[in-house]
Amino acid sequence: MVRTLVVTLALLTLAGCTAKPPAAEAPTISVKEFNAPLNEEMRAGTGDSIFMEGRYIEGEYIDVPQAVDIMIPGSMMIPFPVHVAQGRLELTSIRKGWKYYCGDLSSSSASFPGLGSVVRAGDCIGIRTPVGGGSPEWVVDNSNHNGFETIWSRRVSSGETHRYRPQVSQTPFSVQQLTRVTFDGYYGGQLHFTLEKQGDQRETREFVFDFDGEPTVVGFQGKHLEVVGASNLGITYRWKKL
């Protein structure tokens, strides 16, 4: 009987009220036209986008330079241990005035004595920030585990906020319309690119060009690029016509 009461109390502890969100603010949809200097030498790594324009919400991530172990207050302010692994927290959702940056649940964890892990697939361990900027918070969203919305958070200390600033990712979070060219690599004496268009429909085309080490001009739908050098790590290039 005593054990049943303890477990019931623990369940209530991690299934209480949610944190109060800030005033809702819509995420910004960027309208971006590609602009790059002509005839100026530039570099890109394999897998990098060399051309991107359209209407989209930019993707973001937060780097965690070293693992963090903290206690986050649960229901009735009873704290539970949270481990945020070293690595990258990706922007996975924007809702109710918050941006949520979540890590891999296979390496991060949140638990409660007597219950073990209190997260499951689709839950979030990481950091959240108010849309439009503001103080970041450590966060555990274990709504999937509990079956209804439950979010627990604790403000990142003022002396550490500089460590956890969002950075722009090359992968957009949400797309209305997008045109992008990615350098896929140089191998077998050939340059490999992918042209991707997203909108009402999605279109992907691959382009392959021979390259023997001499400056070579290649084209994508009326845009001309001169490749100056290439290796398995990336390319050096100049835009000739946009």
Side-chain angles (χ1 to χ4, degrees):
M1 178 66 175
V2 173
R3 179 179 176 83
T4 301
L5 288 173
V6 170
V7 172
T8 301
L9 177 59
L11 287 170
L12 289 172
T13 299
L14 293 192
C17 60
T18 61
K20 184 179 180 180
E25 181 178 336
T28 302
I29 296 178
S30 301
V31 180
K32 295 202 172 183
E33 295 184 3
F34 183 75
N35 184 24
L38 295 179
N39 299 311
E40 182 174 312
E41 195 167 288
M42 305 173 71
R43 292 177 176 81
T46 299
D48 285 349
S49 297
I50 61 172
F51 177 94
M52 189 161 71
E53 67 178 11
R55 293 175 54 84
Y56 54 88
I57 299 174
E58 288 187 314
E60 297 177 356
Y61 66 92
I62 294 175
D63 275 328
V64 178
Q66 60 186 31
V68 178
D69 289 287
I70 54 174
M71 302 292 286
I72 290 183
S75 184
M76 296 183 290
M77 300 305 294
I78 299 176
F80 61 99
V82 177
H83 175 77
V84 183
Q86 177 184 0
R88 178 174 288 193
L89 306 177
E90 299 285 353
L91 175 63
T92 59
S93 65
I94 303 175
R95 48 199 163 92
K96 295 185 177 180
W98 293 100
K99 292 182 177 182
Y100 287 80
Y101 303 83
C102 306
D104 187 347
L105 292 182
S106 67
S107 53
S108 295
S109 61
S111 60
F112 194 84
L115 294 178
S117 176
V118 292
V119 293
R120 61 178 295 180
D123 286 334
C124 176
I125 297 175
I127 291 174
R128 70 177 186 174
T129 64
V131 173
S135 300
E137 296 181 350
W138 298 109
V139 68
V140 173
D141 179 350
N142 62 342
S143 301
N144 285 337
H145 178 273
N146 288 329
F148 55 93
E149 185 179 73
T150 40
I151 301 170
W152 315 103
S153 65
R154 178 186 129 181
R155 181 167 292 188
V156 175
S157 66
S158 58
E160 294 186 322
T161 55
H162 67 282
R163 295 187 182 181
Y164 307 114
R165 291 174 179 165
Q167 302 179 56
V168 175
S169 168
Q170 291 201 39
T171 303
F173 171 75
S174 178
V175 172
Q176 287 189 352
Q177 185 179 7
L178 174 70
T179 300
R180 172 169 54 188
V181 175
T182 303
F183 174 63
D184 296 322
Y186 173 64
Y187 48 90
Q190 293 182 315
L191 303 163
H192 296 257
F193 299 87
T194 297
L195 170 66
E196 177 186 9
K197 290 188 175 183
Q198 296 183 47
D200 295 335
Q201 296 182 335
R202 184 166 183 167
E203 175 188 351
T204 300
R205 293 181 59 190
E206 295 182 356
F207 292 83
V208 179
F209 305 97
D210 293 331
F211 182 71
D212 60 5
E214 296 296 323
T216 302
V217 176
V218 300
F220 308 96
Q221 295 188 330
K223 297 175 176 60
H224 296 168
L225 181 79
E226 181 183 43
V227 178
V228 179
S231 70
N232 61 332
L233 299 179
I235 57 170
T236 304
Y237 63 96
R238 303 185 186 97
W239 284 107
K240 305 298 289 185
K241 178 184 175 184
L242 292 174

